[in-house]
């Protein structure tokens, strides 16, 4: 009989802890009937009755709440979130492509300038060879 009472006491404590966690993590719009502080005090002072009351009357039924794979815990909406890795960010990837394009254009411009300069030097050297020496 003592084991049964011990098991029931442990079940009551686990239920109270679950109800307390559920109450403290519930969004403000999901709490019904009483303010959050009142529910916490009821669960703490009357663990069995308060826990059952919280799950029955204190929170919105789970059918009404939208189900998400992962709860949003940081307070930011999905649109405000930035991608975690830079290679997942389309802006970053487009900036890399634009920077690469600009660098390629600049490199091509320098090569063309160098080629023109060398051609001009060769023309001058050829022009010097064609002139008779005086």
């Amino acid at each position: 009989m003592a084991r049964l009472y011990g098991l029931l006491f442990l079940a009551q404590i686990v239920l109270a802890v679950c109800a307390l966690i559920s109450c403290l993590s519930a969004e403000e719009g999901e709490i019904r009937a009483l303010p959050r502080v009142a529910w916490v005090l009821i669960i703490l002072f009357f663990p069995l009755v308060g826990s059952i009351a919280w799950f029955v009357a204190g929170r919105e039924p789970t059918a009404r709440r939208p189900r998400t794979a992962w709860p949003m815990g940081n307070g930011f909406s999905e649109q405000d979130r930035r991608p975690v890795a830079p290679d997942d960010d389309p802006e970053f990837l487009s900036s890399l492509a634009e920077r690469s394009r600009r660098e390629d254009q600049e490199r091509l411009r320098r090569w063309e300038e160098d080629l023109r300069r060398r051609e001009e030097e060769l023309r001058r050297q050829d022009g010097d060879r064609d002139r008779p020496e005086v």
Side-chain angles (χ1 to χ4, degrees):
M1 197 61 156
R3 287 185 178 171
L4 180 63
Y5 287 135
L7 186 62
L8 290 175
F9 178 74
L10 184 63
Q12 174 185 341
I13 296 299
V14 168
L15 183 65
V17 168
C18 290
L20 198 56
I21 290 172
S22 173
C23 179
L24 292 174
S25 65
E27 297 289 327
E28 200 61 42
E30 297 175 348
I31 300 174
R32 296 189 311 185
L34 296 172
R36 183 187 316 260
V37 174
W39 280 114
V40 169
L41 292 175
I42 290 171
I43 294 169
L44 288 175
F45 289 127
F46 309 104
L48 183 61
V49 175
S51 301
I52 294 172
W54 165 253
F55 287 119
V56 171
R59 66 182 185 145
E60 289 288 327
T62 56
R64 291 188 198 166
R65 287 190 282 177
R67 301 290 275 162
T68 58
W70 296 98
M72 300 295 287
N74 61 2
F76 293 107
S77 69
E78 193 64 35
Q79 292 113 5
D80 295 341
R81 258 189 202 185
R82 301 273 309 160
V84 177
D87 58 343
D88 290 339
D89 187 359
E91 286 180 30
F92 178 73
L93 294 175
S94 65
S95 72
L96 284 179
E98 180 63 30
R99 186 174 12 163
S100 175
R101 196 173 315 118
R102 274 186 273 142
E103 288 173 355
D104 289 346
Q105 288 174 349
E106 177 64 24
R107 190 176 304 123
L108 182 62
R109 187 190 60 78
R110 281 187 274 139
W111 285 344
E112 287 175 344
E113 278 181 11
D114 188 45
L115 183 61
R116 281 189 204 105
R117 184 183 50 79
R118 289 180 182 192
E119 285 177 348
E120 196 61 40
E121 286 176 3
L122 286 174
R123 283 188 193 124
R124 269 189 259 132
Q125 288 175 359
D126 286 344
D128 290 343
R129 286 188 209 154
D130 292 342
R131 267 194 242 157
E133 288 188 26
V134 187

